[in-house]
Amino acid sequence: MPRAPWSLPDLTGRTYLITGSNKGLGYFSAEHLARAGAHVVMTGRHPNRLAAARAALHRRNPDVAFDQVESLLLDTSNLGSVRAAAATAKVRGALDGLLLNAGIVHPPEHRETTVDGHEVVFATNVLGHFALAGELLPILAAASGRMVWLGSMSTSMWPYNPVDPQLVDGYSAWRAYVQSKIATTALGLEADRRLREAGVPVRSVVAHPGYSTSGRTAGIAGVNEPTKLTRFTDNLQAVITQSKEDGALPLVQALAGDGVEGGSFWGPRFVATGAPRAAKPSRITRSREIGERLWTAAEEATGVHWPFAAAANGVPEPD
């Protein structure tokens, strides 16, 4: 029987790292990849939650071998944690794909900063991923792999121009979230342009999950435990929402599916719901000027300059 358009090929022998995989889209992305035979590196900030998620994955998928899934501590809001996790990942071996999923979906009401002095939403959703992707670029290039940035359909509805990406002035929780998603999408597209220009064999892709809610997702101890009120309110929106498990499909299709080109943008067929399909990112995220501006801002904030020349030539980074 032919595979459905969104289903994954056999991923046996391939390795994928997912940020923020102890719950939500990251967890279900790990399940989809592991079921297809991939070796999966689940990451998260809290060791106990990460262990609970890994245990849940094996409990729900008994055919997945224990050593097929491993865990790695990683907090994308902390650049020291990003560097440490990247160093560990590099010595563990090949990497076929990197899913930049972790993030703050419900930002704080008032502006907060990280230990590195950056606005917490921009740091978690954008800067940590920019730094991680740059650090892991050589091993991704060695496998001709992919990196997938997590976008959002919100960028089409509220096209905030991130002239002040860390919102030093005019902070609001919603603006912090939307700007972070504009930035991740714009950086994902800019990364593809730069990778092509440098001749690096890595595809940079952006994907979004549509409108995926915890209340429409299976209950899993330690992973997804919505309240009765959440179940009720989310099910009132059933026509325009889907589960996190379905929301993860565009992400894993972009990461490991067939027919995915660098610089493409993937999401549900009906924008908020449906099987994965290639779509068109919002106009603001396609701006080269905005992509270049955000790239410079990310380099300055993280101190990470992607090793394009070394990755193109297959030269390992110095220790």
Side-chain angles (χ1 to χ4, degrees), residues 147-151 184-186 188-189 204-208 254 263-267:
M147 59 178 70
V148 174
W149 307 68
L150 190 63
T184 54
T185 303
L189 300 178
S204 178
V205 185
V206 183
H208 79 90
S264 59
F265 179 79
W266 288 77

Side-chain angles (χ1 to χ4, degrees), residues 39-65:
H39 183 88
V40 180
V41 182
M42 301 178 72
T43 78
R45 295 183 299 171
H46 304 287
N48 291 344
R49 295 177 189 174
L50 195 53
R54 184 182 179 190
L57 189 152
H58 286 293
R59 186 171 63 249
R60 283 167 48 88
N61 303 276
D63 292 337
V64 173

Side-chain angles (χ1 to χ4, degrees), residues 76-306:
T76 59
S77 74
N78 184 316
L79 293 173
S81 174
V82 170
R83 286 191 292 270
T88 300
K90 283 187 280 190
V91 299
R92 286 185 179 180
L95 187 64
D96 295 275
L98 175 62
L99 178 53
L100 305 169
N101 162 79
I104 295 175
V105 179
H106 303 291
E109 181 179 355
H110 302 288
R111 187 179 187 274
E112 297 178 8
T113 56
T114 67
V115 294
D116 300 302
H118 302 303
E119 190 277 312
V120 68
V121 180
F122 193 70
T124 305
N125 296 9
V126 184
L127 296 179
H129 286 138
F130 177 87
L132 182 66
E135 295 281 359
L136 297 181
L137 186 60
I139 60 172
L140 277 173
S144 296
R146 302 181 204 173
M147 59 178 70
V148 174
W149 307 68
L150 190 63
S152 167
M153 61 184 187
S154 67
T155 63
S156 296
M157 296 180 279
W158 291 273
Y160 298 136
N161 189 337
V163 291
D164 177 16
Q166 300 214 35
L167 292 175
V168 176
D169 298 307
Y171 176 90
S172 76
W174 182 242
R175 182 157 194 148
Y177 173 75
V178 176
Q179 280 200 171
S180 77
K181 290 305 175 183
I182 289 171
T184 54
T185 303
L187 285 171
L189 300 178
E190 178 64 17
D192 185 72
R193 289 189 284 262
R194 295 186 181 223
L195 291 164
R196 289 175 184 269
E197 291 168 359
V200 179
V202 171
R203 280 171 280 179
S204 178
V205 185
V206 183
H208 79 90
Y211 191 5
S212 303
T213 65
S214 60
R216 303 232 30 231
T217 305
I220 305 173
V223 175
N224 187 62
E225 300 175 291
T227 64
K228 290 182 179 179
L229 178 60
T230 297
R231 287 278 187 209
F232 176 74
T233 56
D234 285 358
N235 280 307
L236 288 177
Q237 307 176 81
V239 175
I240 58 169
T241 61
Q242 62 183 2
S243 68
K244 298 280 186 179
E245 187 168 15
D246 287 341
L249 293 176
L251 280 58
V252 295
Q253 170 66 23
L255 185 68
D258 296 327
V260 177
E261 297 181 357
S264 59
F265 179 79
W266 288 77
R269 180 182 178 187
F270 303 110
V271 183
T273 65
R277 67 157 189 172
K280 189 174 184 178
S282 60
R283 181 177 180 181
I284 191 170
T285 63
R286 302 195 309 269
S287 166
R288 183 79 194 247
E289 183 274 327
I290 289 176
E292 291 177 342
R293 185 205 313 156
L294 285 166
W295 195 276
T296 299
E299 284 184 329
E300 292 175 350
T302 63
V304 175
H305 297 268
W306 287 24

